[in-house]
Amino acid sequence: MSSALSCRAELSETLHKRKRSDMISGCTLSRGFFDQDCQTLARALLGQTLVRVVDGERLSGRVTEVESYLGGDDEASHSHHGKRTPRNEPMYMQPGTAYVYAIYGSYHCFNISSRGAGSAVLIRALEPLEGEERMRDLRDAKRSSAKRNSSPGKRTTRLKTHQICNGPSKLCIALSINKDECNKLDLCSSPILFLEEGTHVSDSEVVTCKRVGIDRVAQPWRDAPLRYYVRGSCCVSVRDRLTENISGDADQTNGVVEQEATLSKSSC
């Protein structure tokens, strides 16, 4: 390589690192964090901070709900029985790789590869932290567009904080996570999508239950306890009341969290 080309390459790498460091406010999660088996990583992701940088602005949220997709025998996984396609290639890439795929035409889901070929964690919900107004605007724009097509002339109600990212596709809209820009990104080095160390979530705060939206999957995988969420958080897609063993009267403590009808039913 010529000295000029070498110099340009070094400058590009320097600018890349500087751009990333300018957007980091906390301790970013390294490869070692992501290099865990799928279930362990899913549990560890609860409480961590997901950051998306859009036009120089940080949009972030605390991870409150995740699901594990193990590959191999897991019939709900895109990589079931070792299936490997251009679409699910990120599931076979190094731990900490973003896997973003489209559903229902114009919506997306965001996953993170873990240790183990074909394994990944679906990020299902976040608690908004930074850039809440920008996230709300992005959600409202999408909702308004959909409503114009289905109910012309009907006004769109403004989202409450807990409604902004309480579902896998909702959080992708709110943080502008899409396949074109984010798929296959290395979350350990990307300046536009990464995770930072967040808050500790104790075992007593974690609800472990079956995954959402995979009713057509055969047992035992349909009811396998591979979904994890923060107990008591109003920023989750749907609560498993049977597992929580709570009465309906307890709903008033954190407000009623409604189940997503369509966008929450997204498997990896």
Side-chain angles (χ1 to χ4, degrees), residues 50 97-101 108-112 121-124 126 168-169 171-172 177 182 185 187 193-195 268:
L50 175 64
T97 299
Y99 173 33
V100 183
Y101 62 87
H108 293 89
C109 289
F110 166 61
N111 312 262
I112 302 173
V121 178
L122 171 66
I123 307 300
R124 286 194 55 87
L126 304 173
S169 292
L171 71 87
C172 282
I177 296 175
C182 301
L185 287 180
L187 302 179
L193 186 65
F194 49 92
L195 283 100
C268 169

